[in-house]
Amino acid sequence: MKVNHDIMRWVFALGVSLLVAFGAYEWITNSDRAFRRAIEEAVVLESRDILLAYVADAGEVRISDALDRVRAAGKVYIYPLPDGWELSGQYKRANDAAWHAFLMRLDEQATLVTLSVDDNDPDLVQKAAADPKFKVASEQ
């Protein structure tokens, strides 16, 4: 049996086009994605407040996180866990030239479980000694 490739080419193109159009329609109309994004944004905003409460010492702090990533600082992520969230990012104080990494774990209500920072600031080391949720690791 001889196949007419001119017709099959059009049938294939039409099939792929319909599949792509259906996929795009499903992607756009999926309200679950927008709902999840709104929750993630709220968690990141809450994590910023928590981080600033620990590392901002009456000075300006620049944060690189999932909502405002600074490529020069490094990678960031937000990861859902069965019992909360895990976030990573970097921060830089106004009087400091280096970016300092942080790793934060939040529970389902976006309250702090643990916060680890790579920093060698003496004030942060003192805060970490007094707070079991806060850990400071000195950068090498």
Side-chain angles (χ1 to χ4, degrees):
M1 178 174 166
K2 188 174 179 182
V3 177
N4 187 345
H5 291 287
D6 290 334
I7 294 173
M8 290 306 291
R9 188 175 308 144
W10 286 104
V11 170
F12 178 76
L14 180 63
V16 169
S17 299
L18 288 174
L19 187 64
V20 168
F22 178 73
Y25 172 78
E26 287 294 317
W27 177 263
I28 290 170
T29 59
N30 185 357
S31 62
D32 182 48
R33 202 170 39 91
F35 178 71
R36 235 183 352 211
R37 171 72 183 192
I39 291 172
E40 289 174 356
E41 286 179 5
V43 168
V44 171
L45 291 173
E46 185 64 30
S47 73
R48 284 180 181 177
D49 293 340
I50 294 169
L51 181 67
L52 289 175
Y54 279 91
V55 300
D57 51 350
E60 185 176 324
V61 176
R62 187 167 177 209
I63 299 174
S64 173
D65 59 15
L67 291 181
D68 186 19
R69 179 174 177 227
V70 178
R71 285 191 173 278
K75 294 188 177 188
V76 300
Y77 73 88
I78 177 170
Y79 184 75
L81 299 172
D83 59 344
W85 297 90
E86 193 167 84
L87 301 98
S88 77
Q90 293 81 25
Y91 67 92
K92 181 166 116 173
R93 290 186 295 275
N95 60 352
D96 200 354
W99 287 93
H100 304 285
F102 71 88
L103 178 64
M104 184 180 301
R105 187 164 182 175
L106 305 174
D107 65 8
E108 293 170 337
Q109 289 77 32
T111 56
L112 182 65
V113 175
T114 59
L115 171 61
S116 297
V117 296
D118 286 337
D119 203 340
N120 53 8
D121 186 57
D123 293 335
L124 293 181
V125 173
Q126 255 185 335
K127 285 181 185 178
D131 190 347
K133 294 180 179 182
F134 187 46
K135 179 182 163 193
V136 174
S138 296
E139 294 179 334
Q140 301 300 346

